[in-house]
Amino acid sequence: MATQKIYIKYMLSLRCVLMVKEELKKLDIPFTNVIIGEVEILKYPSDEKMEAFRLSLKNIGLELLDDKKSVLIEKIKNEIHKMIHESESLPKVNFSDFLNEKLGYDYTYLSNIFSEVQAITIQQFIIYHKIEKVKELLLYNELNLTEISYKLDYSSVSHLSNQFKKVTGLTPSFFKQMRELRKKKLANA
């Protein structure tokens, strides 16, 4: 039996996947697979069930996507999120080639739609997520800046530091010091 896909916005974690599965079960909507950003269903539910599903998603902070542009934007975001936050290291190809291969669309087309809808470029979105990953790695204190720079495919530590400061207003070392100071204050409180 052929399946159909439903796309969901803001679904970026395993916890979201589990919550969506639970909502589908509650509403007795048969599905074959739920992954980040999408659900494969066996048969398209009635309008009433779809509306109930839409509302249940809204209650848990998610949103059903209907139009093709929104679906494509969410696919781009999900691929970037997976690439930066879920893989051990970034692919050694251009992001444009990576997205082109993953989504099967010309990068210029993807870039134009993304910029039009999101009001930022794909590259700016990638930089933002890379800096979020840098913050996470700094907070876990497992890697030094050189290792983080290599892991996230920066050309140098200074390139990472400059980008970090441009996005956050802080240097990576000051960001880390602030965390240490907060930790000490909490321990002394």
Side-chain angles (χ1 to χ4, degrees), residues 165-178:
K165 183 162 182 151
K166 193 174 184 180
V167 171
T168 67
L170 307 170
T171 64
S173 54
F174 188 73
F175 176 81
K176 198 170 180 173
Q177 286 174 352
M178 284 178 35

Side-chain angles (χ1 to χ4, degrees), residues 40-135:
E40 280 185 35
I41 56 173
L42 293 171
K43 185 181 105 185
Y44 206 79
S46 67
D47 289 344
E48 294 81 25
K49 273 194 182 181
M50 274 311 286
E51 189 55 33
F53 185 53
R54 181 185 307 281
L55 290 172
S56 67
L57 289 176
K58 193 172 185 173
N59 288 335
I60 58 174
L62 303 175
E63 186 179 316
L64 207 53
L65 294 174
D66 296 324
D67 68 282
K68 288 182 180 182
K69 274 187 184 178
S70 295
V71 169
L72 188 54
I73 298 294
E74 204 58 25
K75 284 181 177 180
I76 293 168
K77 288 179 175 182
N78 288 340
E79 287 302 328
I80 291 169
H81 185 272
K82 284 190 276 189
M83 174 184 63
I84 294 172
H85 296 283
E86 296 175 16
S87 63
E88 279 303 307
S89 62
L90 296 183
K92 300 296 181 199
V93 296
N94 291 337
F95 291 123
S96 57
D97 293 338
F98 175 82
L99 290 171
N100 190 19
E101 180 186 314
K102 285 289 188 179
L103 300 174
Y105 287 96
D106 178 64
Y107 181 76
T108 304
Y109 174 72
L110 294 173
S111 180
N112 288 338
I113 286 180
F114 193 90
S115 297
E116 175 189 319
V117 174
Q118 295 297 123
I120 64 168
T121 66
I122 289 177
Q123 193 60 39
Q124 289 168 320
F125 187 79
I126 289 169
I127 289 168
Y128 172 77
H129 276 275
K130 284 176 76 173
I131 295 305
E132 287 302 307
K133 184 66 174 182
V134 171
K135 287 184 199 175

